[in-house]
Amino acid sequence: MFGRKREEESIRREVERLQRELDRVLRVNELFKKALEAVEEGVRIELEGQVLFSKEGEGQDIKVAEGVYIRKKVEEGKEQPEKVLEVLREVQEYKKNVEDIERSFSSTLHELEDIYRTLINGLELTNQMFDMLKKEAEDISNMKKLTDALREKSRYIEEITKIIEGISEQTNLLALNAAIEAARA
């Protein structure tokens, strides 16, 4: 029972940790969206073919990382490589954070699955133990009934024995009387 409470407390703490981590991811996501909105050029971020963020702009798409494109007007001599590199660094940092969180969630999910299996096994063992205790209680009850019946039969046999002793004494007295009468005669 104590182990079960400890497992439940462990699961509760893990769920709270996951909630804090999810809140952190959502805050980071919001900050990145704000940062990307501030970029003057268009930006598109894709993950596995799905567009996660898009801000339209004029110009041609320039791939700055896997799944990250910046739409930029290319004017003669007026490119802004610093801004492109800054956005690239931010996107790469965001991607790294998302990957770290994904690994953390995956690890936590496996831990929760293990805890769940442990709890299920514990509950099954507890149920088996209660079934065994119930059977033991039934066996003890049956033994008590049997012992009570034996005690009652023993009293009955004791009464019969007393009656036989009484008859035996009377028989001995009669035999003694008969012997005395025979000796007189």
Side-chain angles (χ1 to χ4, degrees):
M1 200 61 137
F2 180 72
R4 182 175 166 187
K5 285 184 180 182
R6 193 171 52 211
E7 291 289 334
E8 288 173 355
E9 179 64 23
S10 175
I11 290 171
R12 186 188 58 73
R13 282 193 308 266
E14 191 60 29
V15 167
E16 288 173 357
R17 187 186 71 75
L18 286 173
Q19 184 63 47
R20 287 191 303 271
E21 191 68 28
L22 180 61
D23 290 343
R24 180 180 167 276
V25 169
L26 292 174
R27 286 193 310 271
V28 167
N29 185 43
E30 193 59 36
L31 290 174
F32 278 109
K33 279 187 178 180
K34 287 180 182 178
L36 290 171
E37 287 289 338
V39 174
E40 292 175 12
E41 296 85 9
V43 176
R44 185 176 80 238
I45 300 174
E46 297 178 357
L47 180 63
E48 297 174 358
Q50 182 181 7
V51 176
L52 300 177
F53 179 84
S54 178
K55 178 183 176 188
E56 296 302 323
E58 294 180 11
Q60 72 182 66
D61 282 344
I62 299 172
K63 183 176 182 178
V64 292
E66 185 63 39
V68 179
Y69 303 88
I70 294 180
R71 181 160 286 196
K72 184 162 184 73
K73 278 188 190 179
V74 181
E75 297 179 17
E76 297 169 26
K78 291 193 174 186
E79 287 192 41
Q80 299 174 350
E82 303 87 30
K83 204 167 204 175
V84 170
L85 290 175
E86 181 182 331
V87 169
L88 175 61
R89 281 191 295 272
E90 289 174 0
V91 168
Q92 287 173 337
E93 183 66 28
Y94 178 71
K95 181 181 175 189
K96 181 181 175 287
N97 286 341
V98 169
E99 289 170 349
D100 289 345
I101 291 168
E102 180 185 0
R103 277 192 298 277
S104 174
F105 278 147
S106 177
S107 172
T108 302
L109 178 63
H110 290 299
E111 290 172 12
L112 286 173
E113 288 171 345
D114 289 343
I115 290 170
Y116 176 76
R117 280 191 295 273
T118 301
L119 283 174
I120 293 298
N121 289 340
L123 287 174
E124 287 175 3
L125 288 173
T126 302
N127 288 337
Q128 289 174 0
M129 183 182 71
F130 281 129
D131 290 343
M132 286 173 42
L133 288 173
K134 186 177 178 181
K135 186 178 181 318
E136 290 290 326
E138 289 173 1
D139 289 347
I140 289 171
S141 176
N142 290 338
M143 290 273 250
K144 184 182 180 311
K145 288 176 185 176
L146 183 61
T147 303
D148 290 344
L150 285 173
R151 186 176 295 122
E152 189 62 35
K153 298 287 183 187
S154 176
R155 284 188 199 128
Y156 181 70
I157 291 171
E158 188 177 315
E159 288 176 14
I160 291 174
T161 304
K162 285 179 182 177
I163 291 171
I164 291 173
E165 283 176 0
I167 292 172
S168 175
E169 283 179 23
Q170 285 182 0
T171 304
N172 286 340
L173 284 176
L174 287 174
L176 181 62
N177 250 353
I180 290 174
E181 288 296 323
R184 274 191 210 165

